[in-house]
Amino acid sequence: MKENKYSEEFMDRLSSLIEKQKAEEMLEVIQDLHPADIAELVDDLDTDEAVFLLSQLDAESSADVLVELDSDQRKELLEQMSNEDIAKRLEQMDADDAVDVIQELDKEDQEDVIQHIDDVEQAGDIVDLMQYDEDTAGGYMSTEMIVVNENMSMQDCIKAMREQAEEMDEIYNIYVVDDDHRLRGIFPLKTTITNPTAPNIKQVMEPDPLAVKTDTPIEDVALDFEKYDLVSMAVVDSIGRLVGVITVDDVIDMVREQSERDYQLASGIAGDVETDDSVWTQVKARIPWLFIGLVGGIANAMILDGGDSTLLQVLPGMALFIPLIGGTGGNVGTQSSAIVVQGLANGSLTLAHAGKHLIKEFGVAMLNALIISSLLFAYAWCFPPDNDPTKAQVTSMAVTISLFSVILFASLFGSLVPIVLEKLKLDPAVATGPFVTVTNDIVGMAIYMAVSTWLIHTFTTLVI
């Protein structure tokens, strides 16, 4: 939740007016505020106060505020409203925003709300949009757009634009279709000024515009917006008929939500939580990865306990480097996976080129491992971990070899995991979280113990 930019005195006054149900004075206080600012205020009010505030706004203003609210807060308020009141507000929204709101309701309530919408065309648009998966272009598109036929004259086109524009808040492009409603081109508003006497639209339109199909993943749509610097993009069905448009504000909202989810996954949070969520909600989101971390810690303890019984007795200096081995492996794995996840997200890395990236990552890992392990060896040589020279040398060799091996493994494992997850249609961001860290801890400890045991048995004079 965003920090409220309004003073404590302002909030106290607003709460006081709501408590006393002085609606007119309350409306005077907030009348000049943008719907997004009112939504920010609603976040800081309790549910009853928020419901009263919304009830005093006209249908259009309260609809704008509902659109700006975060999902959890909106759902809580909708539960306090009648289906008739919800329907009145949905009539004032763009169809895509109305779908976002109505999807917060149970299926039975959704059907009842739609039946209470008086605007049949609006209700139909909502029903049509609800059939699309929410993570596709169809789920994000709006059906509010200006459409003209390619055979229209400029005069008829301008007349059609005027009629359709009355119901729209923003206009980015005019979309040109043929008699079968297939997308043929776009018609920038500038063209009406530069070519006012064109005999028909077909001659001055921009043909073959960029478009996406309704089932295109929204992440791919966002990449196209970034690549081509778009502000809007047409959405077509499987045979090329124009069905909607996606605008840049919808893409920005998606990118922000995706970034928040990825950050939480990378931090070991298994659900979408906010700072104002209940204690139990936050516990449920955090506990799964904490449990996995616990299992990983127990596995490390079992590796230590299951190793050579004389290992730490013979080389007590080994224990000093256990945190270093585990921590370095986790850090290296997180770095490698983060680069791959970023590449998959922005399109700079594809599954087709995964092999090339793994080869490059192996080269980077070799160089990193050589530098870091050499520095560690120099440290252990200058500051022996044991008073016995032979034991100090064996410990130094064990730590150096282990660290070199762990960096190699962690780099390749951290790169491979998100690639595999992407192949399996799972969120690669999971790979940047505790999963890679815990796995590298366990493998790193196993490598450390194995190398140390081998060196001890090689130098048989150390065995007690």
Side-chain angles (χ1 to χ4, degrees), residues 295-323:
V295 172
I298 294 174
N300 275 334
M302 293 174 64
I303 292 173
L304 286 170
D305 185 56
D308 193 312
S309 59
T310 63
L311 198 56
L312 292 179
Q313 297 177 24
V314 175
L315 300 175
M318 277 186 57
L320 301 175
F321 297 97
I322 290 176

Side-chain angles (χ1 to χ4, degrees), residues 69-134:
L69 289 171
D70 66 71
S71 178
D72 292 336
Q73 180 73 8
R74 185 166 58 213
K75 183 176 182 179
E76 188 174 346
L77 291 178
L78 291 176
E79 291 174 351
Q80 306 300 317
M81 299 168 61
S82 68
N83 289 341
E84 292 86 347
D85 287 338
I86 296 174
K88 291 178 182 177
R89 287 157 176 80
L90 293 184
E91 290 177 354
Q92 305 301 318
M93 300 179 188
D94 291 340
D96 57 330
D97 291 329
V99 171
D100 291 339
V101 173
I102 200 171
Q103 285 179 338
E104 307 286 356
L105 305 173
D106 295 333
K107 190 171 182 61
E108 292 183 2
D109 287 329
Q110 290 178 6
E111 295 175 355
D112 189 47
V113 167
I114 291 174
Q115 291 178 358
H116 282 91
I117 296 178
D118 295 330
D119 188 336
V120 177
E121 183 177 354
Q122 172 78 340
D125 288 341
I126 293 173
V127 172
D128 290 340
L129 289 177
M130 288 178 66
Q131 67 179 305
Y132 299 109
D133 190 296
E134 61 181 356

Side-chain angles (χ1 to χ4, degrees), residues 9 80 118 124 127 130 159 180 194 211 259 279 294 325 369 379 410 442 454:
E9 291 78 12
Q80 306 300 317
D118 295 330
V127 172
M130 288 178 66
K159 180 179 179 181
D180 295 320
T194 57
S259 297
V279 171
L294 174 64
I325 295 293
Y379 168 82
I442 297 173
W454 171 69

Side-chain angles (χ1 to χ4, degrees), residues 333-382:
T334 300
Q335 287 179 344
S336 300
S337 59
I339 290 174
V340 175
V341 170
Q342 182 183 38
L344 292 171
N346 62 30
S348 62
L349 174 64
T350 62
L351 294 178
H353 297 92
K356 183 179 179 180
H357 175 80
L358 289 176
I359 293 174
K360 181 188 289 187
E361 183 63 28
F362 180 77
V364 173
M366 285 288 290
L367 189 56
N368 283 339
L370 182 62
I371 294 172
I372 298 300
S373 59
S374 297
L375 291 174
L376 179 61
F377 183 80
Y379 168 82
W381 185 268
C382 296

